[in-house]
């Protein structure tokens, strides 16, 4: 829906994270900002100050467990597992030991020491070049804020469990624990100044089916409790003082979306086949075994990317072979006979592996990470390869290596795989000797030598996020140059096409698992370029399938031909938008 303001209205635009429209009075949280004061202590007071911190940590743990239990009863164990990460923060020895050290060496009060150390950690996490990990900053501050409240004896300003009347919640940041405690009968919707689609708060909003908008920048400062507003969770807009005309227009919008959701539900169990009978495989991206339920309900045909690095973070030591095997096998069992593609560890000095003492690097994203890290940490890599091989006995497991830059790395990785196959065989431990092995195409060098890689692998998975970032030398999280991050840049499309052609010449399967695969505007272009499979986040599968069933392969190929001959990214994008809107107009009627 186009944003048309009527007289007296004011609109704030952010990022839509949970669909729906609501209207009502605003309740602004955290208008009062608390400060944490530094207080110097005598030596005799230090032991008691450390004791105060320990008691606050214990109390906080009890509070979080209570919230987790309530959430598990209300909307399920999968959503409640969000708080496992919160509990890990309370047990992080690096954080706790450092706070105790600051108390004892600087001789200061516990709240000041804990606040200083936790903010330092949160600041470091906020700089990590991984959206999932950056979003954990909110989780960390949720936990540390609770600890500080317990140290200071502060109560929450507003009890979200017992609201007096229905309202739209506005806050600078709405932590998962606050979201979990909301009175769902009274909270119509919520909006925050910060956040993204992958934040836990956004995920919980979708689980609770509460309309939500994030990334509004300064809404909590501009808006006042008691004002009347309309929140549009489809487009990411808050309209203050909506007129009757605006309310009427939004009534029509809601009716359109209800109709679209019915159409998407109808498509869930249908195959992703174009109008001219071309089959496209649609699979899901997941992070943990608990995600399999959303894979099943999304209409996906298996898992195209299982990101295993989330098994390794926030731990004192790497997961054992047995722990990994159980996790991988659980996913394979749950989704049999559909395929499950497990990506080996894509982790390095830019992410939390404190127990491995990874050195600081000038350019960690061009440094010791992913397959490079694994080939030099043979114990860790070997345990993972054995775990994946053991899980492959279920018959539906595939495996792929991340950040392969050329044939030498692939050969070294495969040599280790062969070595561990021989070990398992000697121990009479079952595995699938014919498990398919693939590589991620996410570095330009890999795309350029795709013909050589295709001789030694069974499938490609194109990671468009990194391929774009590395090819165009653009950090998409850098707001000064984010506009240069262009999926429709001719160089990117030619690298994809070159990779697809090299793969198909050797009868090698090609998947795309980056954000392009879940973007309806770009899906026809990828299909036209010859991609066999699209792997996206589970919530995106239904609309991608709906679109695929309404386009023709021949027309998508014509779109790709135009794109490959065009030199303008903006012209290519405009043509893609027009194509997708013609094929499935109801996806874009907002």
């Amino acid at each position: 829906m186009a944003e048309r303001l009527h007289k007296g209205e004011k609109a704030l635009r952010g990022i839509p994270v949970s669909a729906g429209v609501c209207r009502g009075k605003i309740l602004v949280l955290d208008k009062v900002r608390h400060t944490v004061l530094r207080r110097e202590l005598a030596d005799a007071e230090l032991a008691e100050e450390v004791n105060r911190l320990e008691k606050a940590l214990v109390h906080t743990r009890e509070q979080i467990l209570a919230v987790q239990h309530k959430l598990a009863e209300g909307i399920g164990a999968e959503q409640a597992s969000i708080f496992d990460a919160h509990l890990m923060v309370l047990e992080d020895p690096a954080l706790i030991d450092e706070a105790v050290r600051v108390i004892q060496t600087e001789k200061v009060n516990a709240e000041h020491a804990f606040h200083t150390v936790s903010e330092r950690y949160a600041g470091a996490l906020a700089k990590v070049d991984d959206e999932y990990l950056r979003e954990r900053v909110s989780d960390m501050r949720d936990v540390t804020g609770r600890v500080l409240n317990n140290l200071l004896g502060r109560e929450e300003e507003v009890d979200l469990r017992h609201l007096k009347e229905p309202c739209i919640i506005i806050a600078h940041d709405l932590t998962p624990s606050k979201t979990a405690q909301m009175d769902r009968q009274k909270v119509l919707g919520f909006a925050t100044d910060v956040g993204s689609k992958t934040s836990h708060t956004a995920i919980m909003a979708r689980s609770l089916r509460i309309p939500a908008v994030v990334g509004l920048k300064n809404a909590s400062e501009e808006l006042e409790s008691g004002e009347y507003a309309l929140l549009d969770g489809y487009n990411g807009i808050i309209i203050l003082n909506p007129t009757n005309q605006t309310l009427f227009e939004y009534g029509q919008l809601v009716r359109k979306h209800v109709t679209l959701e019915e159409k998407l539900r109808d498509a869930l169990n249908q195959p992703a086949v174009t109008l001219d009978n071309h089959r496209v495989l649609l699979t899901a991206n997941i992070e943990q075994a608990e995600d399999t339920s959303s894979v099943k309900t999304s209409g996906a045909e298996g898992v195209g990317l299982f990101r295993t690095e989330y098994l390794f973070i926030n731990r004192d030591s790497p997961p054992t072979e047995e722990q990994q095997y159980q996790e991988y096998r659980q996913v394979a069992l749950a989704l049999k006979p559909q395929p499950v593609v497990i990506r080996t560890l894509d982790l390095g000095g830019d992410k939390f592996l404190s127990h491995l003492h990874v050195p600081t690097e000038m350019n960690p994203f061009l440094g010791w990470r992913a397959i490079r890290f694994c080939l030099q940490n043979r114990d860790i890599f070997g345990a993972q390869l054995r775990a994946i091989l053991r899980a492959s006995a279920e018959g539906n497991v595939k495996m792929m290596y991340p950040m392969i830059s050329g044939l030498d790395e692939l050969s070294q990785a495969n040599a280790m795989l062969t070595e561990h196959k021989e070990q398992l065989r000697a121990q009479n431990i079952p595995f699938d000797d014919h498990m398919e092995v693939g590589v991620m195409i996410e570095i330009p060098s890999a795309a350029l030598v795709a013909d050589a890689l295709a001789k030694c692998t069974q499938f490609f998975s194109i990671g468009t996020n990194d391929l774009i970032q590395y090819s165009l030398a653009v950090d998409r999280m850098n707001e000064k140059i984010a506009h240069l991050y262009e999926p429709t840049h001719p160089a990117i499309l030619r690298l994809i096409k070159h990779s697809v052609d090299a793969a198909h010449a050797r009868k090698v399967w090609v998947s795309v698992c980056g954000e392009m695969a879940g973007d309806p505007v770009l899906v026809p272009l990828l299909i036209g370029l010859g991609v066999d499979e699209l792997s996206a986040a589970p919530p995106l599968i239904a609309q991608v399938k709906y679109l695929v069933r309404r386009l023709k392969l021949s027309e998508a190929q014509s779109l790709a031909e135009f794109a490959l001959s065009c030199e303008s990214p903006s012209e290519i994008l405009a043509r893609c938008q027009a194509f997708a809107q013609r094929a499935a107009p109801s996806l874009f009627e907002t």
Side-chain angles (χ1 to χ4, degrees):
M1 175 176 176
E3 182 183 341
R4 295 189 300 273
L5 294 186
H6 300 288
K7 188 175 180 181
E9 294 180 340
K10 178 181 179 181
L12 303 176
R13 179 175 288 277
I15 302 166
V17 294
S18 185
V21 172
C22 62
R23 56 194 175 97
K25 285 184 179 180
I26 287 172
L27 174 62
V28 183
L29 303 183
D30 304 324
K31 270 289 188 182
V32 179
R33 295 281 193 267
H34 295 286
T35 56
V36 178
L37 299 177
R38 175 190 174 101
R39 183 165 48 86
E40 295 188 3
L41 305 174
D43 288 347
E45 298 176 278
L46 298 181
E48 177 55 28
E49 206 63 17
V50 171
N51 187 43
R52 281 185 64 232
L53 175 60
E54 290 172 349
K55 285 181 177 178
L57 292 170
V58 170
H59 189 197
T60 303
R61 180 179 178 79
E62 292 169 352
Q63 290 174 326
I64 292 174
L65 286 170
V67 172
Q68 188 177 45
H69 179 69
K70 180 184 176 184
L71 189 62
E73 289 182 338
I75 61 174
E78 185 177 343
Q79 284 72 29
S81 67
I82 282 174
F83 289 97
D84 290 343
H86 291 57
L87 295 170
M88 285 180 185
V89 173
L90 294 174
E91 297 164 2
D92 184 346
L95 173 65
I96 308 307
D97 292 352
E98 178 64 8
V100 171
R101 189 195 66 79
V102 171
I103 291 172
Q104 294 174 334
T105 59
E106 298 185 18
K107 299 180 182 179
V108 293
N109 53 318
E111 48 270 48
H112 173 77
F114 188 76
H115 177 67
T116 301
V117 173
S118 62
E119 279 302 302
R120 190 187 309 147
Y121 274 63
L125 190 57
K127 294 176 182 175
V128 170
D129 190 30
D130 182 299
E131 187 172 6
Y132 180 90
L133 290 176
R134 273 199 317 279
E135 286 302 338
R136 304 295 72 82
V137 173
S138 175
D139 300 333
M140 185 170 186
R141 287 192 168 131
D142 187 356
V143 181
T144 57
R146 279 184 172 274
V147 175
L148 289 171
N149 281 345
N150 288 327
L151 281 167
L152 295 165
R154 290 195 309 227
E155 297 291 333
E156 295 286 349
E157 290 178 65
V158 177
D159 184 356
L160 294 176
R161 294 165 295 185
H162 305 102
L163 295 168
K164 295 178 181 177
E165 61 181 338
C167 61
I168 297 172
I169 301 292
I170 308 290
H172 175 71
D173 190 12
L174 201 53
T175 62
S177 61
K178 284 185 178 177
T179 311
Q181 294 182 76
M182 284 180 178
D183 179 348
R184 279 183 279 165
Q185 303 302 313
K186 298 283 177 62
V187 175
L188 305 172
F190 68 78
T192 61
D193 297 342
V194 298
S196 78
K197 290 188 176 183
T198 58
S199 64
H200 273 158
T201 300
I203 293 167
M204 289 184 65
R206 291 190 286 272
S207 299
L208 294 166
R209 300 189 180 278
I210 295 175
V213 179
V214 301
L216 287 160
K217 294 180 180 170
N218 56 357
S220 65
E221 296 175 8
E222 290 191 28
L223 302 178
E224 296 292 337
S225 294
E227 291 182 305
Y228 190 81
L230 179 146
L231 184 148
D232 173 5
Y234 295 115
N235 299 288
I237 303 169
I238 288 183
I239 298 178
L240 200 62
N241 302 319
T243 63
N244 288 336
Q245 179 61 30
T246 295
L247 296 175
F248 172 75
E249 291 168 2
Y250 269 96
Q252 292 181 312
L253 172 67
V254 170
R255 283 191 289 276
K256 283 181 181 177
H257 275 281
V258 168
T259 302
L260 173 60
E261 286 169 10
E262 290 171 354
K263 291 177 181 177
L264 294 180
R265 277 196 297 274
D266 290 341
L268 280 181
N269 298 316
Q270 300 294 324
V273 179
T274 64
L275 294 172
D276 47 0
N277 210 33
H278 173 70
R279 186 79 159 82
V280 179
L281 185 66
L282 295 185
T283 53
N285 298 340
I286 67 169
E287 274 99 41
Q288 53 191 347
E290 288 78 8
D291 295 337
T292 52
S293 58
S294 61
V295 174
K296 290 177 180 179
T297 57
S298 70
E301 302 167 86
V303 170
L305 170 63
F306 183 171
R307 300 183 178 99
T308 60
E309 51 271 21
Y310 299 111
L311 294 173
F312 287 74
I313 63 174
N314 291 325
R315 302 177 63 100
D316 294 334
S317 59
T320 64
E321 175 189 323
E322 184 63 25
Q323 287 171 329
Q324 292 184 69
Y325 164 63
Q326 294 296 343
E327 186 89 359
Y328 305 150
R329 181 172 177 267
Q330 185 179 339
V331 175
L333 271 174
L335 297 176
K336 269 174 113 171
Q338 294 179 329
V340 174
V341 179
I342 302 175
R343 182 176 69 185
T344 61
L345 188 58
D346 187 5
L347 203 59
D350 60 319
K351 298 176 185 174
F352 284 97
L353 273 182
S354 55
H355 53 273
L356 294 177
H357 307 294
V358 177
T360 302
E361 298 180 289
M362 288 291 289
N363 291 294
F365 316 116
L366 302 177
W368 196 44
R369 57 173 297 204
I371 198 65
R372 303 166 182 179
F373 174 89
C374 288
L375 291 173
Q376 292 184 43
N377 286 271
R378 297 175 68 87
D379 290 347
I380 292 173
F381 193 34
Q384 181 171 46
L385 292 177
R386 285 173 60 90
I388 294 172
L389 282 168
R390 289 169 61 192
S392 74
E394 298 302 328
N396 60 331
V397 169
K398 303 180 184 183
M399 185 186 78
M400 62 182 178
Y401 307 117
M403 208 178 175
I404 292 290
S405 63
L407 194 56
D408 186 48
E409 287 169 338
L410 176 58
S411 299
Q412 290 181 58
N414 279 337
M416 280 193 67
L417 184 66
T418 299
E419 177 187 325
H420 287 287
K421 281 185 175 182
E422 291 170 355
Q423 289 178 8
L424 292 174
R425 197 176 286 117
Q427 296 170 297
N428 290 319
I429 297 175
F431 66 92
D432 179 5
D433 198 24
H434 301 289
M435 177 185 70
E436 291 187 21
V437 178
V439 297
M440 294 281 293
I441 304 292
E442 52 191 343
I443 298 177
S445 62
L448 293 172
V449 297
D451 52 343
L453 295 173
K455 296 175 185 176
C456 307
T457 193
Q458 282 77 57
F459 65 93
F460 286 170
S461 184
I462 302 176
T464 53
N465 298 1
D466 275 342
L467 185 63
I468 296 167
Q469 194 157 246
Y470 286 132
S471 299
L472 303 182
V474 173
D475 175 4
R476 62 195 175 123
M477 300 307 167
N478 183 334
E479 61 185 24
K480 294 180 181 176
I481 56 171
H483 65 284
L484 300 175
Y485 182 90
E486 296 178 299
T488 52
H489 191 292
I492 303 303
L493 303 185
R494 291 170 196 178
L495 286 171
I496 293 174
K497 179 62 174 171
H498 179 77
S499 301
V500 169
D501 289 347
H504 287 173
R506 289 273 172 181
K507 294 184 169 52
V508 167
W509 185 264
V510 182
S511 171
V512 170
C513 62
E515 287 183 17
M516 287 180 72
D519 187 340
V521 168
L522 300 176
V523 162
L525 178 58
L526 290 173
I527 293 172
L529 289 169
V531 169
D532 304 299
E533 174 184 348
L534 300 171
S535 187
L540 303 176
I541 299 294
Q543 60 181 1
V544 172
K545 184 180 287 190
Y546 179 79
L547 173 60
V548 169
R549 291 177 57 81
R550 279 155 184 77
L551 58 83
K552 289 184 178 179
L553 174 63
S554 58
E555 293 176 353
Q557 289 171 331
S558 296
L559 173 67
E561 287 174 13
F562 163 79
L564 291 168
S565 65
C566 182
E567 303 299 333
S568 168
S570 58
E571 282 185 37
I572 297 170
L573 180 59
R575 184 72 68 98
C576 289
Q577 288 171 329
F579 183 98
Q581 286 177 332
R582 278 199 309 275
S586 55
L587 284 181
F588 303 93
E589 289 178 352
T590 59

